[in-house]
Amino acid sequence: MAFTLHGIPVSRGIVIGRVHLLASAALEVPHYLMVVGEIEDEVSRLDEAIATVVNELYQLQSELPPNAPAEFAALVDLHRLILQDPLLSEEPGRLIRERRYNAEWALTNQLQAVVEQFEEMDNEYVASRRADVEQVVERVLKVLTGSAHSLSTVAAEAEAEAAAAKKNGTFEDFDPMIVIAHDIAPADMLQFKKHVFAGFATDLGSLTAHTAILAKSLDIPAVVGLGQASRLLEQDECVIVDGEAGVLIVDPSPIVLDEYRLRKRDLELANEKLKRLARMQTRTLDDVSIELHANIELPDDCEFANEVGATGIGLYRTEFLFMTRDSLPDEDEQFEAYRRVVTSMTGRPVTIRTLDIGADKTPNAARAEFGPGVFDTTNPALGLRAIRFCLAEPQMFLVQLRAILRATAFGPVKLLIPMIAHPQEVDAALVLIATAKGQLDARGLAYDRAMPVGGMIEIPAAALSLGMFAKRLDFFSIGTNDLIQYTLAIDRTDNAVAHLYDPLHPAVLQLIAQTIASATRLGVPVSVCGEMAGDPMLARLLLGLGLRQFSMHPAQLLAVKYEILRSDVVACEALAKKIVAAGEPDRVRVLVDRLRAA
Ligand code: PEP
Ligand code: MG
């Protein structure tokens, strides 16, 4: 029977294929009592299952391709640490011994107890780790129950099927495989890269969950938050994952299938056409030149940035270099990474952002070095994050500043300070930059003495008092992701308030408009590097607000370029003014639609 499920689109594109059901996180586990003589064997069975998963996680980490997203290794690490915590590695054993539970029962019983403890904790960060604990337990349960539905088993089967189809000459007709699961652990996402899966859909998830972030970076159509998909669907059923609209169409009729085949083809053709824009200059219809920079997390990302013709790196999130390891990278290692980015961009400017750790981006290494208490506070997004943390740890900050300065000897580099709110933060950072320069002078090392220093405008206070920062800095970059979070008091990682996270809220638009206008008036270059800059639907609005420099994930760059090439700045300005003055969100949306259609 045909039906449609609606969820959250997290990764664009359309795929038509066959369902591969992955066992639900809430696996139905057997419950029975052990007889006394079997108890120690049962404890060993559980210990072996845990050891198997720990080994799997080590192996997964050792097999990570160099271009794997940086958060990925950190998450694999986190899952291993969770599993090795006595709460999971020892407590279920006690339940087997004292209550005679079978291993699966003991483990799920303990999971329930841990989840309840998490729920009682008044700590957002800890609460958000609950899903990680559930995913780890599910892995162990899969080993215990010998479930044939683990992602790697499905992947191996899928590969074998694809190989057989190829051999028989039927590969053309071979259906892409779509994984349907209750939830997918970020660790399992790597299988999507290695194998032949073409998309995925899950019951749980939100736009900002780790799994969604990884899906975007892997560029496979994905929809999450579908509620009951894994219960309602059957193995091998035909489905369409529409990553554009966020829907999953089950057992589609021939008419719907034909329609989607056409849409898919259109999307593919459109993507092919977009590729032709990569080498074109970005000029509007009325001949205004626009810079389109790329956001990157790792030096390897420069390849994609170059492929799409980025005119520079507008945001290099250096904290990802710190995410995948147990100790902080030293000056030489950081310098090597920064130098690689600079040389890869062959003379185009590279904006290196200093460490933005804290809140949802806290590397294990930083926890180990500075203690978890520094980061796991009640409101980490309002705590010792980004420049606040760097100024609290000046020795660590100086290491990064020297590494960035050394990279300036290899091409144009700008240094960007995240999360500024107070002028004294900028003053202190500038003093430390001068100190780092002095240290390099003493070592006789070359660097660009005139390296521009800019600030992220992502806290409303900074947007509202731009003048005092303009006196101190050479450029601004608006971080709309955090600007929205802090303006609307919405935790950008909290699923429960995701529906209130609104880039078109009149207050957000006023802050952006005011920042661009003030910076322009003060003669300080300004760009936008938050997600808004990569949304083609908003390109004309930003143009109309006076933005001339955009920075976004390379995957979005050509679609934004396409919008800009067919826009007239003067026409955009008139409507953008009306949008900012509109006041009511509904009116804003109507006008934004009109601007896009103009
Ligand atoms: C932002 O806040 O908009 C931004 C670009 O920085 P990040 O997403 O890394 O916080
Ligand atoms: Mg930010």
Side-chain angles (χ1 to χ4, degrees):
M1 189 193 62
F3 62 94
T4 301
L5 294 171
H6 293 257
I8 305 167
V10 295
S11 186
R12 305 196 57 185
I14 288 172
V15 59
I16 305 169
R18 252 179 323 125
V19 167
H20 274 263
L21 272 181
L22 200 64
S24 151
L27 281 177
E28 289 295 323
V29 298
H31 290 61
Y32 50 92
L33 290 174
M34 307 305 301
V35 292
V36 176
E38 291 172 346
I39 282 179
E40 286 312 313
D41 285 350
E42 191 66 357
V43 173
S44 304
R45 192 167 75 88
L46 177 61
D47 288 348
E48 276 163 26
I50 290 175
T52 303
V53 175
V54 168
N55 285 339
E56 264 177 32
L57 291 170
Y58 271 125
Q59 185 160 354
L60 201 58
Q61 195 143 36
S62 69
E63 287 173 358
L64 286 180
N67 60 347
E71 309 108 301
F72 187 81
L75 279 160
V76 177
D77 240 9
L78 177 69
H79 281 199
R80 186 176 46 72
L81 290 174
I82 289 173
L83 195 50
Q84 288 172 323
D85 189 287
L87 271 180
L88 288 182
S89 64
E90 288 172 16
E91 199 54 19
R94 190 185 63 76
L95 292 173
I96 299 174
R97 289 195 177 100
E98 291 179 7
R99 298 197 197 168
R100 295 198 285 125
Y101 288 177
N102 65 308
E104 292 88 341
W105 186 3
L107 191 60
T108 46
N109 195 86
Q110 181 59 13
L111 171 66
Q112 189 56 35
V114 174
V115 163
E116 276 165 20
Q117 278 182 25
F118 273 40
E119 277 167 359
E120 278 163 21
M121 280 184 210
D122 197 13
N123 181 320
E124 292 284 325
Y125 175 79
V126 176
S128 71
R129 299 272 70 92
R130 175 188 157 157
D132 293 299
V133 178
E134 287 173 338
Q135 284 159 356
V136 165
V137 167
E138 189 188 347
R139 272 180 175 271
V140 181
L141 286 173
K142 279 178 194 161
V143 175
L144 281 171
T145 55
S147 162
H149 294 293
S150 78
L151 192 53
S152 50
T153 314
V154 175
E157 284 169 9
E159 257 189 332
E161 258 180 88
K166 229 178 207 168
K167 202 170 153 201
N168 298 335
T170 56
F171 195 68
E172 284 293 296
D173 306 326
F174 188 70
D175 290 330
M177 297 180 205
I178 295 163
V179 170
I180 308 285
H182 183 61
D183 195 11
I184 294 182
D188 282 328
M189 289 297 293
L190 197 67
Q191 304 290 345
F192 287 91
K193 224 172 187 148
K194 286 201 283 189
H195 297 285
V196 288
F197 297 117
F200 80 85
T202 56
D203 299 346
L204 302 184
S206 72
L207 203 56
T208 49
H210 293 123
T211 299
I213 291 166
L214 288 164
K216 270 188 223 154
S217 78
L218 299 179
D219 221 6
I220 6 175
V223 181
V224 301
L226 287 159
Q228 297 283 324
S230 69
R231 282 180 196 275
L232 298 173
L233 268 69
E234 282 169 24
Q235 195 72 2
D236 283 333
E237 225 168 352
C238 176
V239 285
I240 300 170
V241 178
D242 181 347
E244 308 286 313
V247 295
L248 182 73
I249 303 168
V250 186
D251 194 15
S253 67
I255 295 175
V256 171
L257 265 179
D258 282 348
E259 168 65 23
Y260 263 97
R261 283 194 185 111
L262 276 178
R263 279 202 215 174
K264 187 168 171 296
R265 185 84 198 111
D266 285 350
L267 272 180
E268 284 162 1
L269 286 174
N271 280 339
E272 281 308 309
K273 270 194 199 150
L274 280 181
K275 284 187 190 157
R276 293 188 214 146
L277 304 182
R279 302 292 145 222
M280 277 176 76
Q281 294 216 336
T282 313
R283 303 191 87 85
T284 62
L285 291 175
D286 46 351
D287 212 26
V288 177
S289 174
I290 306 295
E291 284 176 49
L292 297 184
H293 292 329
N295 292 355
I296 60 163
E297 275 86 43
L298 292 172
D300 282 345
D301 298 339
C302 289
E303 196 181 323
F304 197 4
N306 278 323
E307 223 170 83
V308 296
T311 42
I313 300 299
L315 173 65
Y316 174 11
R317 291 177 160 108
T318 56
E319 54 276 9
F320 284 86
L321 181 66
F322 290 61
M323 299 287 252
T324 52
R325 38 185 311 135
D326 293 329
S327 58
L328 300 174
D330 64 17
E331 182 185 319
D332 282 347
E333 193 177 343
Q334 290 190 51
F335 160 65
E336 204 40 56
Y338 307 152
R339 190 189 60 81
R340 261 186 71 203
V341 172
V342 174
T343 51
S344 302
M345 294 313 289
T346 55
R348 283 159 293 160
V350 173
T351 305
I352 305 181
R353 184 174 72 181
T354 57
L355 265 183
D356 180 4
I357 55 176
D360 60 329
K361 286 184 288 191
T362 305
N364 289 343
R367 267 177 213 288
E369 181 93 11
F370 305 106
V374 174
F375 304 104
D376 300 339
T377 55
T378 313
N379 286 308
L382 304 182
L384 208 55
R385 181 187 159 185
I387 188 63
R388 301 171 182 185
F389 175 69
C390 289
L391 293 178
E393 295 296 340
Q395 290 312 322
M396 180 209 69
F397 195 30
L398 277 169
V399 171
Q400 179 173 45
L401 293 176
R402 289 194 301 268
I404 295 174
L405 279 164
R406 285 171 60 190
T408 64
F410 296 83
V413 170
K414 299 194 249 178
L415 182 143
L416 179 61
I417 307 171
M419 242 190 122
I420 55 171
H422 302 275
Q424 65 268 29
E425 290 166 337
V426 176
D427 292 339
L430 292 174
V431 167
L432 285 170
I433 292 169
T435 307
K437 286 180 176 177
Q439 292 170 338
L440 293 184
D441 287 339
R443 286 158 59 190
L445 291 173
Y447 63 88
D448 172 10
R449 290 178 183 277
M451 173 186 71
V453 178
M456 294 275 295
I457 304 301
E458 51 186 347
I459 296 180
L464 293 168
S465 54
L466 212 68
M468 64 189 184
F469 295 107
K471 278 189 230 153
R472 294 166 162 86
L473 293 166
D474 302 309
F475 67 97
F476 294 130
S477 190
I478 306 176
T480 52
N481 306 341
D482 279 313
L483 189 62
I484 297 167
Q485 153 163 278
Y486 294 127
T487 304
L488 303 180
I490 304 280
D491 181 342
R492 63 192 259 205
T493 65
D494 185 347
N495 192 20
V497 286
H499 60 292
L500 297 171
Y501 188 91
D502 182 9
L504 293 180
H505 189 291
V508 172
L509 291 182
Q510 281 180 44
L511 285 172
I512 295 172
Q514 190 175 323
T515 304
I516 296 172
S518 305
T520 310
R521 199 180 56 247
L522 295 164
V524 180
V526 59
S527 70
V528 171
C529 64
E531 291 301 299
M532 280 178 82
D535 185 345
M537 315 290 184
L538 301 179
R540 286 186 171 180
L541 172 60
L542 292 173
L543 272 184
L545 294 179
L547 191 72
R548 301 294 177 258
Q549 263 184 45
F550 296 61
S551 192
M552 67 208 78
H553 190 280
Q556 293 147 330
L557 195 140
L558 293 177
V560 170
K561 188 170 190 171
Y562 176 74
E563 281 304 313
I564 291 174
L565 292 174
R566 49 196 278 278
S567 298
D568 182 295
V569 165
V570 176
C572 292
E573 277 167 359
L575 254 174
K577 248 192 208 114
K578 281 191 187 165
I579 291 169
V580 175
E584 284 291 327
D586 287 349
R587 175 94 184 118
V588 167
R589 268 167 235 288
V590 169
L591 290 174
V592 168
D593 284 346
R594 193 181 301 166
L595 179 56
R596 281 181 45 218

